Amino acid sequence: SLMEQLTFFHDHTVMILSMITIMVAYIMMTLTKNSYINRYLLEGQTIELIWTVMPAITLIFIALPSLRLLYMIDEINNPSITLKVIGHQWYWSYEYSDFSNTEFDSYMKPVNEMNKNEIRLLDVDNRTVIPMNTQARVVVTAADVLHSWAVPALGIKIDAVPGRLNQGTMNI
């Protein structure tokens, strides 16, 4: 649901920006072809008020949905499961610490061991399993260098920094 809201916000912002671009292009084209001058536009406080207020209103139309979405992403409801993800130089370590303290490492599959339906550089030997319709918390850290743990389809991307725990939630 978060990725769906991110997509809606992207579409909303692109629509506003495309309307602004079309309007500015239209005004520029008419100014190049128009030889008439309106003397009331040359010295008018009304037009200055309009071109000051309109961008402020446009920014409000972009900022309010953005803030709502930002708070939705950072919201953490009582998670049913916690997944600890540790980034290493060439692999990821996963820990399910809520139930039986299960730990495993996940390495990328070499090209010569892959099946035809697997994607190169994305498929691994041990996949992470998270149950559907449950709130899951993901705690991400790194052991050595900076990493970025992401699941684009779920709209989640968390940076893994050594010595720091970053947290995110997802509901599949």
Side-chain angles (χ1 to χ4, degrees):
S1 62
L2 289 177
M3 188 60 193
E4 186 179 28
Q5 293 295 319
L6 284 169
T7 304
F8 288 153
F9 175 69
H10 174 265
D11 295 344
H12 171 75
T13 306
V14 167
M15 183 59 86
I16 290 174
L17 291 177
S18 62
M19 288 190 306
I20 291 171
T21 304
I22 290 170
M23 186 179 74
V24 168
Y26 173 74
I27 291 171
M28 288 175 63
M29 294 301 289
T30 57
L31 283 176
T32 57
K33 296 186 191 293
N34 190 1
S35 61
Y36 302 115
I37 294 176
N38 186 350
R39 70 181 181 104
Y40 294 113
L41 287 179
L42 292 178
E43 43 182 70
Q45 287 80 25
T46 307
I47 192 71
E48 289 181 9
L49 179 70
I50 289 172
W51 72 46
T52 303
V53 169
M54 289 303 288
I57 292 172
T58 305
L59 288 175
I60 288 172
F61 275 115
I62 293 174
L64 290 179
S66 172
L67 288 174
R68 183 183 67 84
L69 188 58
L70 189 64
Y71 282 112
M72 277 178 51
I73 289 173
D74 281 341
E75 182 180 31
I76 296 176
N77 300 331
N78 297 322
S80 301
I81 188 169
T82 300
L83 174 66
K84 184 177 179 186
V85 182
I86 304 168
H88 297 278
Q89 189 76 32
W90 295 105
Y91 64 97
W92 292 93
S93 295
Y94 295 96
E95 297 177 12
Y96 294 101
S97 57
D98 288 340
F99 301 111
S100 61
N101 209 8
T102 305
E103 300 178 15
F104 62 93
D105 294 333
S106 182
Y107 292 90
M108 266 192 314
K109 278 191 173 180
V111 177
N112 57 354
E113 295 179 11
M114 295 180 67
N115 298 330
K116 292 194 184 265
N117 60 349
E118 294 177 334
I119 301 171
R120 189 175 75 90
L121 299 177
L122 287 180
D123 277 309
V124 293
D125 57 354
N126 292 324
R127 294 185 178 182
T128 305
V129 178
I130 298 173
M132 289 181 63
N133 295 325
T134 58
Q135 191 75 19
R137 174 179 35 210
V138 181
V139 179
V140 181
T141 189
D144 45 16
V145 295
L146 297 175
H147 298 281
S148 183
W149 188 85
V151 182
L154 297 176
I156 187 169
K157 183 174 184 177
I158 305 171
D159 291 330
V161 181
R164 179 179 176 153
L165 290 175
N166 290 330
Q167 177 173 282
T169 61
M170 60 182 162
N171 190 357
I172 301 175

